[in-house]
Amino acid sequence: MLSPENRTLYTSALTPPPGMRFKEAIATTFSLDPAFLLQAPVHLALMATDAQQGDDLFSRFEAIRRYADNITVYVQQGRIQVPAKGKPSPLFGMLEKMIIEVSAPNGGVFHPKIWAIRFADEYEDEVMYRLVILSRNLTTDASWDLSLQLEGWLTGRRHKINNPLAHLIQLLPELCTGNCDETRRDQALRFASELQRVDWQYPPGFDEIAFYLPGIKRFSWKPPQASRVAVISPFCSDKALQYIVDGYKHIDALISRPETLLALKSETRALFSRTLHLDDAAENPDVPEAPGTDAITATGLHAKVLLFETGWDSEIVLGSANATNAALLCGKNCEIMVSLKGKKSKIGSIGDMLSAEGMGKYLVDFDESQQAEPDTQRAEAERVAENARSLLAQACLNVTCRPGQNEQAWALILSGAIPPLPGIVSGWIWPVTVPAESGCALPLNALDKELVLGEFSAASLTGLIAFELHTAHPDVTVRFVLNLPLIAVPDEREAMILQTIINRQEDFMRYLMMLLNADSPFAFSTEINADPVNGFYGLSLGEEVPLLEELTRMYSRNPERLADVAALVKNLRHSPDKPIPEDFLDLWAVFESATGVHRER
């Protein structure tokens, strides 16, 4: 039960099953790192074509271009993170339409963390859904987490157990804090309808499953009848814990964070036979990484699990809900939980989980005497920072694009009422597509006029605007991103983004071949990447590249796909770097004439 040795990554969840293709996905999360989201379309594209490399600017641009309309991520308003890794990229601007900010209807937070992914065969004769329920967010944070992955086939009848899940998906467009376009609304409604008809395959050892939405009366969760209980939750409150364990004969372990355990009343901790937290060594293991892999160190507890035992049976309840009042008692938060039941002989017991073969070797007993007193000044500064985040998130702000002082620049204008931010001593604002120093100071008093954020290239224009707010406490700063409405976007934005990544003839030929090999573009990218010096140099010179044959094949079989090539040529024809070989332009003129596409002079 809950073996910490069974580790999985998001990549396995996003990998299409054999014979199936990725179609669409809906994800929900409390917080989101755009750098993480930038990788998701690429991985889907790579896995769909059995390619193993190609995660570069070319692949990312093409993957986002292809999949941005099919992936929607709903995130708590004000909880988009400033990208944590890598340099600012103009590609972040292409994520705007994929990200929808939402808020919980009852004054809490939007907290469910799921992926619902739709796969189908070539002819849509068979449709499969993969559902991943997580307790961590869509960020690069590598915390101790627990996830559940279910797969099921679309059937012709409804399954009652799916009603809570379908209700959550159907509710998403109604929670949007801004406008939700009809395409995304239709996607949510279609997913909700189909998910009701999915027959899930249970994980090995389990024979019963149920979904719950705490806070929604008809789908709410209550502690089951059982003889033993254990709780794993990074955040807890006294009332919620008392509610969970009330009436049980054996109340085993409470596993949480040290600071959470310290904040609980002593009588609440006394309800449990043991109170535990992760050993420092478990959070910073000195384990050599395997060759060819990225270092991934689990830090901090983020898993949320309730465990129950009755006779020969075990039940695991996991999901997004912490053992707190907001999640379980007040109905404020928007959460999702799933219950799995099975025989202890097959899935293990609470004792197995706490043993040295389970989580036990990573846990230590909580020692109240060794804990420092809470820092009240820091806590107050954090409250001030969160209040300011909320005020800006709820303000009616938008960003307008206007021609700059020179013909190559565009000004970004922040409009709307910027509210007063009590307790904030300084602030900074900038588009996430450029370095922070390219931004400007954020006015701290109420301002009811336009604020010029700066002048930027068309490729850097975006509604994803980053904020940095400093409190009087030297160690408390909050950074976040708002996905603000972007008005008067110039038509050439995508062309300029493309020009930033394609500025050589070999770059153009590589991207062109990705388009011509549309059924397996990323596999081609991998093959040519194996010998980039000879491969792309040859491509740029037109050596051994059957362009005429490839273009003719596309013209005869899928002439509509030549529109992608036409758009590529149009976007790059006037680039000052002249990345399109003249020989190709002469060849392309034949197809422009045949397809009725007029060449721009």
Side-chain angles (χ1 to χ4, degrees), residues 70-91:
N70 303 95
I71 302 174
T72 308
V73 179
Y74 295 86
V75 57
Q76 166 66 36
Q77 185 184 36
R79 289 289 175 171
I80 304 172
Q81 297 180 357
V82 176
K85 293 184 178 181
K87 297 179 180 179
S89 169
L91 296 184

Side-chain angles (χ1 to χ4, degrees), residues 53-54 56 58-59 510 514 520-530 536:
Q53 298 178 9
D56 51 28
F58 301 99
S59 300
R510 177 179 177 181
M514 290 176 67
S520 187
F522 300 92
F524 173 83
S525 176
T526 300
E527 294 169 5
I528 202 69
N529 209 29
F536 287 121

Side-chain angles (χ1 to χ4, degrees), residues 380-381 383-389 391 419-425 444-445 469-472:
E380 174 58 20
R383 185 199 65 77
V384 165
E386 290 307 312
N387 178 63
R389 182 207 301 263
L391 288 171
L421 304 174
I424 300 299
V425 298
L444 299 182
N445 298 318
L469 307 177
H470 298 266
T471 69

Side-chain angles (χ1 to χ4, degrees), residues 299-511:
T299 57
L301 178 69
H302 214 274
K304 301 137 176 102
V305 194
L306 307 175
L307 303 121
F308 302 93
E309 289 183 15
T310 305
W312 302 104
D313 300 323
S314 284
E315 179 178 356
I316 300 175
V317 181
L318 58 92
S320 64
N322 287 288
T324 61
N325 297 348
L328 298 180
L329 298 182
C330 302
K332 288 186 175 182
N333 288 4
C334 185
E335 309 273 6
I336 187 169
M337 301 170 71
V338 58
S339 163
L340 295 164
K341 296 180 180 179
K343 299 298 181 183
K344 284 193 289 187
S345 59
K346 294 182 179 180
I347 65 174
S349 65
I350 293 175
D352 295 331
M353 180 198 70
L354 296 175
S355 69
E357 289 73 32
M359 291 187 65
K361 61 184 176 182
Y362 299 102
L363 300 172
V364 294
D365 290 304
F366 173 68
D367 183 358
E368 180 179 347
S369 65
Q370 296 182 5
Q371 303 302 312
E373 289 297 322
D375 186 339
T376 56
Q377 291 184 340
R378 183 186 184 96
E380 174 58 20
E382 291 173 347
R383 185 199 65 77
V384 165
E386 290 307 312
N387 178 63
R389 182 207 301 263
S390 178
L391 288 171
L392 282 171
Q394 295 174 22
C396 295
L397 303 176
N398 59 65
V399 181
T400 302
C401 305
R402 293 178 186 169
Q405 294 184 358
N406 67 70
E407 60 181 17
Q408 300 298 322
W410 288 82
L412 274 180
I413 313 295
L414 182 72
S415 302
I418 299 176
L421 304 174
I424 300 299
V425 298
S426 65
W428 196 253
I429 181 173
W430 71 99
V432 298
T433 50
V434 300
E437 53 267 25
S438 299
C440 66
L442 179 71
L444 299 182
N445 298 318
L447 184 68
D448 196 13
K449 63 179 183 180
E450 296 178 341
L451 175 66
V452 180
L453 303 185
E455 294 195 0
F456 311 95
S457 69
S460 298
L461 299 177
T462 181
L464 292 171
I465 305 299
F467 295 81
E468 181 175 289
L469 307 177
H470 298 266
T471 69
H473 194 291
D475 299 326
V476 178
T477 297
V478 63
R479 305 176 92 215
F480 60 95
V481 175
L482 296 178
N483 191 6
L484 302 178
L486 186 62
I487 301 170
V489 186
D491 294 337
E492 64 265 30
R493 180 173 69 154
E494 185 170 314
M496 292 300 295
I497 294 175
L498 194 58
Q499 289 180 27
T500 64
I501 61 176
I502 298 181
N503 48 37
R504 300 177 302 171
Q505 291 189 0
E506 53 262 44
D507 296 339
F508 171 82
M509 295 302 297
R510 177 179 177 181
Y511 191 78

Side-chain angles (χ1 to χ4, degrees), residues 155-396:
T155 67
R157 66 182 184 89
R158 294 188 176 191
H159 300 269
K160 187 177 180 180
I161 65 169
N162 293 330
N163 287 347
L165 177 62
H167 180 82
L168 173 63
I169 300 298
Q170 184 176 346
L171 185 65
L172 293 175
E174 307 304 321
L175 303 180
C176 297
T177 56
N179 293 327
C180 180
D181 66 59
E182 288 302 315
T183 300
R184 306 291 170 169
R185 187 179 299 275
D186 291 345
Q187 181 194 48
L189 296 179
R190 183 166 17 89
F191 265 53
S193 176
E194 289 194 340
L195 284 169
Q196 286 186 318
R197 296 185 286 123
V198 172
D199 186 15
W200 301 110
Q201 300 173 354
Y202 296 168
F206 293 97
D207 49 34
E208 189 174 338
I209 187 172
F211 298 102
Y212 300 96
L213 303 177
I216 298 178
K217 188 174 182 180
R218 59 187 169 127
F219 301 128
S220 62
W221 175 85
K222 294 182 179 179
Q225 292 184 349
S227 56
R228 307 185 74 97
V229 61
V231 177
I232 304 175
S233 180
F235 305 103
C236 306
S237 65
D238 294 288
K239 287 185 178 180
L241 287 173
Q242 292 163 11
Y243 168 73
I244 293 170
V245 305
D246 183 42
Y248 290 115
K249 184 176 180 180
H250 299 286
I251 303 174
D252 289 273
L254 170 60
I255 303 172
S256 188
R257 297 179 176 182
E259 60 271 23
T260 297
L261 294 171
L262 180 65
L264 294 173
K265 295 178 180 178
S266 57
E267 52 265 35
T268 301
R269 293 196 298 266
L271 293 172
F272 295 85
S273 300
R274 298 181 68 186
T275 51
L276 304 148
H277 61 85
L278 287 176
D279 190 350
D280 290 342
E283 297 196 53
N284 299 283
D286 186 15
V287 180
E289 59 184 278
T293 63
D294 294 329
I296 299 178
T297 302
T299 57
L301 178 69
H302 214 274
K304 301 137 176 102
V305 194
L306 307 175
L307 303 121
F308 302 93
E309 289 183 15
T310 305
W312 302 104
D313 300 323
S314 284
E315 179 178 356
I316 300 175
V317 181
L318 58 92
S320 64
N322 287 288
T324 61
N325 297 348
L328 298 180
L329 298 182
C330 302
K332 288 186 175 182
N333 288 4
C334 185
E335 309 273 6
I336 187 169
M337 301 170 71
V338 58
S339 163
L340 295 164
K341 296 180 180 179
K343 299 298 181 183
K344 284 193 289 187
S345 59
K346 294 182 179 180
I347 65 174
S349 65
I350 293 175
D352 295 331
M353 180 198 70
L354 296 175
S355 69
E357 289 73 32
M359 291 187 65
K361 61 184 176 182
Y362 299 102
L363 300 172
V364 294
D365 290 304
F366 173 68
D367 183 358
E368 180 179 347
S369 65
Q370 296 182 5
Q371 303 302 312
E373 289 297 322
D375 186 339
T376 56
Q377 291 184 340
R378 183 186 184 96
E380 174 58 20
E382 291 173 347
R383 185 199 65 77
V384 165
E386 290 307 312
N387 178 63
R389 182 207 301 263
S390 178
L391 288 171
L392 282 171
Q394 295 174 22
C396 295

